[in-house]
């Protein structure tokens, strides 16, 4: 079987659904807290973007 771009495009939706179905629906995803060092590095890398925590 030769894997082509068309075959991958046709198979992607089914593969996506298979992976999403493996996620638990009952347990919420815990919020991640980034270290202050990481936050500082991100601010230094791009000082033009205002970073806000998602709620």
């Amino acid at each position: 079987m030769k894997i082509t771009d068309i075959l991958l495009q046709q198979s992607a939706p089914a593969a996506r659904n298979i992976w999403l179905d493996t996620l638990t629906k009952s347990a919420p995803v815990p919020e991640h807290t980034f270290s202050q060092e990481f936050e500082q590095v991100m601010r230094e890398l791009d000082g033009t973007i205002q970073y806000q925590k998602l709620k």
Side-chain angles (χ1 to χ4, degrees):
M1 170 192 251
K2 183 176 180 181
I3 299 176
T4 64
D5 287 343
I6 293 172
L7 180 61
L8 290 172
Q9 289 172 348
Q10 291 172 342
S11 301
R16 175 189 178 276
N17 292 337
I18 290 169
W19 280 106
L20 289 177
D21 287 345
T22 66
L23 299 175
T24 178
K25 293 178 176 107
S26 60
V29 177
E31 184 176 329
H32 179 75
T33 303
F34 293 100
S35 69
Q36 290 181 355
E37 293 83 6
F38 177 82
E39 295 278 355
Q40 180 63 34
V41 169
M42 292 299 106
R43 283 191 292 275
E44 290 171 3
L45 287 175
D46 189 358
T48 62
I49 296 176
Q50 294 294 320
Y51 293 96
Q52 298 176 5
K53 292 188 182 238
L54 298 176
K55 297 286 177 177

